[in-house]
Amino acid sequence: NWKAAMKICEDYVFIEDGVEYRDWFLPSKDTLGMLRVFRDEVGGFSEAVYWSSSLDQFKNAFELNFEDGFPLRREDSVLRKVRAVHSF
């Protein structure tokens, strides 16, 4: 669910050359849209639906379908893929 997706990103740790990167987060629907555009350069995406951190006025989370690029609002109980992002 959406809350679990947020937690997965917050808890994610990536280690490269002995340096730990802990500042990961669930991307907004707009950021996911940009990642979809550049998915070949970024890599690691499938033609699946991914959770975003964006919420509507009713606290339903947006998801983004990487096959067609359309964001949809979803209740929290649906299982979707997660992609953590990191600020530079």
Side-chain angles (χ1 to χ4, degrees), residues 6-22:
M6 294 282 286
K7 181 79 171 134
I8 288 167
C9 293
E10 290 171 1
D11 291 347
Y12 184 68
V13 177
F14 178 77
I15 301 171
E16 183 175 58
D17 297 328
V19 178
E20 288 187 2
Y21 297 91
R22 296 180 172 270

Side-chain angles (χ1 to χ4, degrees), residues 47-61:
E47 297 292 318
V49 181
Y50 290 83
W51 279 119
S52 82
S53 63
S54 302
L55 300 175
D56 70 8
Q57 69 270 26
F58 303 108
K59 305 257 183 199
N60 291 316

Side-chain angles (χ1 to χ4, degrees), residues 13-52:
V13 177
F14 178 77
I15 301 171
E16 183 175 58
D17 297 328
V19 178
E20 288 187 2
Y21 297 91
R22 296 180 172 270
D23 54 346
W24 298 87
F25 56 93
L26 189 64
S28 69
K29 66 180 170 67
D30 294 335
T31 300
L32 271 177
M34 290 301 296
L35 287 168
R36 182 181 177 274
V37 169
F38 295 103
R39 67 181 175 247
D40 292 336
E41 291 84 357
V42 175
F45 287 100
S46 63
E47 297 292 318
V49 181
Y50 290 83
W51 279 119
S52 82

